[in-house]
Amino acid sequence: MSKPPAISDRHRRTRNDHAQETAEDYVEAIDEVNGASGKCRVVDLARQFDVSHVTVTKVVARLKREGLVTSEPYGPLELTEAGRQLAAKSRRQHEVVYQFLLAIGVSEKVAAIDTEGIEHHVSKQTLDCFKRLTEQLQGK
């Protein structure tokens, strides 16, 4: 039996996961809004996340520094290639977790809510297991 990771390692991973969570949520939302209406503005994100314009502006500034988003002053938000890749990865993780929760009998409503937290904190290994078990449970 292997030794569990040190407590400091587990907490470090959780802090890193939290730092990435907002970026994943925002790039996924920008991608969705752009796909639905052709353009995404700060006000769209403020409405979607039920936060202030200032909060969104600060997050978008961070996403720009990280090379995930571009925009001109007062212009719509656009994802960079890195932003599009992160949005696609987030969407795939979301779907794997959601389908797993449904496969084990969680209601659609609860699965939708729980997926929003789990998807950001699950390792690739765990996601692979979720996917494999989902396929087994669905008889695929």
Side-chain angles (χ1 to χ4, degrees), residues 26 29-30 33-34 37 39-64 69-78:
Y26 272 71
I30 292 166
V33 173
N34 277 334
S37 67
K39 62 183 173 183
C40 180
R41 299 186 180 277
V42 169
V43 67
D44 298 318
L45 296 176
R47 195 174 309 120
Q48 181 162 343
F49 291 115
D50 195 25
V51 296
S52 72
H53 183 275
V54 172
T55 297
V56 174
T57 300
K58 288 179 182 179
V59 173
V60 168
R62 188 182 115 215
L63 297 176
K64 285 180 180 181
V69 174
T70 62
S71 72
E72 297 297 322
Y74 305 103
L77 303 171
E78 296 290 334

Side-chain angles (χ1 to χ4, degrees), residues 61-127:
R62 188 182 115 215
L63 297 176
K64 285 180 180 181
R65 284 191 307 273
E66 293 176 3
L68 300 170
V69 174
T70 62
S71 72
E72 297 297 322
Y74 305 103
L77 303 171
E78 296 290 334
L79 295 177
T80 63
E81 181 58 31
R84 283 189 293 279
Q85 288 177 7
L86 182 58
K89 176 185 171 231
S90 297
R91 208 172 7 267
R92 283 189 306 271
Q93 287 181 196
H94 181 104
E95 190 60 21
V96 168
V97 172
Y98 181 69
Q99 290 302 321
F100 173 74
L101 293 176
L102 292 178
I104 63 171
V106 177
S107 72
E108 288 183 15
K109 182 179 179 182
V110 172
I113 294 167
D114 288 351
T115 297
E116 288 303 323
I118 296 169
E119 70 178 305
H120 301 291
H121 302 280
V122 64
S123 68
K124 180 177 179 342
Q125 179 183 6
T126 301
L127 272 176

